[in-house]
Amino acid sequence: MCLSLARLALSLVLLMGWTATAQAQDALRGRELKRRRVSISGATADKPVMLHVAPGYLTTLEFDSLVDRDSVVLGDTGRRLALFEVTPRTIVLKPAMDLGPGQGVELTVPFADGAAPARVVFSLVTNLSDVDAQVMVSRLPRTAEEIRAELDEVRAACLAKDAELEALRARTVASGPAGMLFAGLLDRGGLQTGGVELGIGQGGGNGLGFEDGWTHRTSSWATVTLQVHNRGMEPWTPVEARLSMVASGERINVLAVRMKEPRIEPGGAALVVVEIGAPRWPEGAVLRLELRDSDGGRRLLIPRISF
């Protein structure tokens, strides 16, 4: 009786083992191992490529270009992969569990050469019927449409640069020596220059003075240029210039007072250019120049300028 029970128990164990083996073999037979080719281009590089993976199966990705190993990104925060290895031209992976619907893992693979397309993106999902066991990834050259679009962009950029260059040329002609000649601002009389004697500027105790100065003169215009420093406590902006002859007191018409900066900050310095019309005073005359701000509160006086 005992022997019969033992034989029955052994038969049951063997039957259960055979059943488990058969089920495992059926499961293995249920997933087809597939070999795929994946081609990517610039137009499709950012669209994820669906890959079927499964626990217990290896999936090998083979690339025809070198992979940037340090920049490969696997979006697996839950450690759902049992194996993940990256070499310069291959990636081998094996899930630790099924990746059900909505649980896919994204894999981003950048290439090392910097050429287009620069990367490929995969979406790893589980499929009950098949597994992508071997995947060969190739990069397609850019299409004619992509090359044409890039060429159009380059042409547009070149046209913009040409327009910018032409504007610079026109500006140079207008404001450079040629422009001055065309406008009659330079003639046979040429250009005369002179210096403004240092040490005679009077700021009236308001912290204004000048460190250097010089003059330019042609038959049709003249300028006085001063390097003005501001040792006061407030910014200063000259907006008015009063120019007159020392001997007679006759006022001379001033066209403009110009600076590149909007104001001279405390402790700072800037060039101030006084533009004058055609010089009507005799050569060698001594002039008096006064620079004023908007309310006349702070003034800089240069009592003697020899032209």
Side-chain angles (χ1 to χ4, degrees):
M1 181 66 177
C2 292
L3 182 59
S4 298
L5 289 175
R7 288 177 177 174
L8 181 58
L10 178 59
S11 299
L12 182 59
V13 170
L14 291 175
L15 179 59
M16 292 176 63
W18 291 337
T19 301
T21 301
Q23 290 176 345
Q25 291 176 348
D26 289 341
L28 289 175
R29 286 196 298 268
R31 279 194 170 105
E32 178 185 359
L33 303 182
K34 287 190 173 182
R35 182 182 182 187
R36 288 182 57 190
R37 289 186 178 273
V38 173
S39 299
I40 59 171
S41 64
T44 62
D46 291 329
K47 298 177 181 178
V49 178
M50 191 79 68
L51 288 185
H52 292 168
V53 297
Y57 294 85
L58 291 178
T59 294
T60 302
L61 308 178
E62 301 178 8
F63 300 88
D64 64 352
S65 302
L66 290 177
V67 170
D68 185 356
R69 298 175 59 185
D70 297 332
S71 300
V72 173
V73 177
L74 177 66
D76 180 25
T77 57
R79 299 188 179 278
R80 288 168 288 178
L81 296 186
L83 176 65
F84 182 70
E85 295 180 355
V86 182
T87 72
R89 286 191 181 272
T90 62
I91 294 179
V92 181
L93 54 89
K94 181 173 66 173
M97 61 185 71
D98 282 330
L99 307 177
Q103 299 178 6
V105 174
E106 190 168 278
L107 172 64
T108 303
V109 183
F111 295 104
D113 56 11
R119 64 176 186 172
V120 58
V121 180
F122 299 98
S123 179
L124 311 180
V125 298
T126 299
N127 187 284
L128 297 179
S129 61
D130 58 65
V131 174
D132 293 323
Q134 183 182 19
V135 182
M136 290 164 285
V137 183
S138 60
R139 299 160 79 191
L140 294 178
R142 290 179 298 175
T143 64
E145 289 76 11
E146 292 172 334
I147 296 175
R148 191 176 298 110
E150 182 176 349
L151 182 59
D152 289 341
E153 292 180 2
V154 172
R155 286 173 175 167
C158 289
L159 288 175
K161 291 296 182 183
D162 289 342
E164 182 178 349
L165 181 59
E166 190 61 32
L168 288 175
R169 287 173 178 167
R171 189 182 308 168
T172 300
V173 170
S175 61
M180 297 177 70
L181 287 167
F182 293 147
L185 299 178
L186 281 178
D187 52 22
R188 291 179 179 271
L191 176 67
Q192 301 177 17
T193 63
V196 178
E197 184 180 351
L198 297 177
I200 60 173
Q202 300 176 7
N206 54 29
L208 299 175
F210 76 97
E211 302 169 350
D212 195 7
W214 58 94
T215 63
H216 292 104
R217 173 177 176 170
T218 72
S219 61
S220 57
W221 58 268
T223 60
V224 178
T225 304
L226 301 173
Q227 179 77 7
V228 178
H229 58 74
N230 178 15
R231 295 193 176 95
M233 302 300 294
E234 299 291 335
W236 186 69
T237 302
V239 297
E240 180 187 3
R242 296 186 178 183
L243 187 66
S244 61
M245 296 181 62
V246 172
S248 64
E250 179 184 352
R251 290 285 296 271
I252 297 172
N253 183 39
V254 173
L255 301 180
V257 180
R258 303 188 186 278
M259 286 199 317
K260 291 176 63 176
E261 299 80 0
R263 57 187 174 272
I264 306 176
E265 299 292 345
L271 282 181
V272 178
V273 179
V274 178
E275 295 183 359
I276 310 163
R280 304 303 181 193
W281 60 87
E283 187 172 350
V286 178
L287 306 182
R288 178 182 184 273
L289 175 65
E290 183 180 16
L291 297 176
R292 298 187 173 199
D293 57 9
S294 58
D295 59 8
R298 297 176 67 190
R299 297 178 291 174
L300 175 62
L301 174 64
I302 296 89
R304 299 180 64 86
I305 301 175
S306 297
F307 267 89

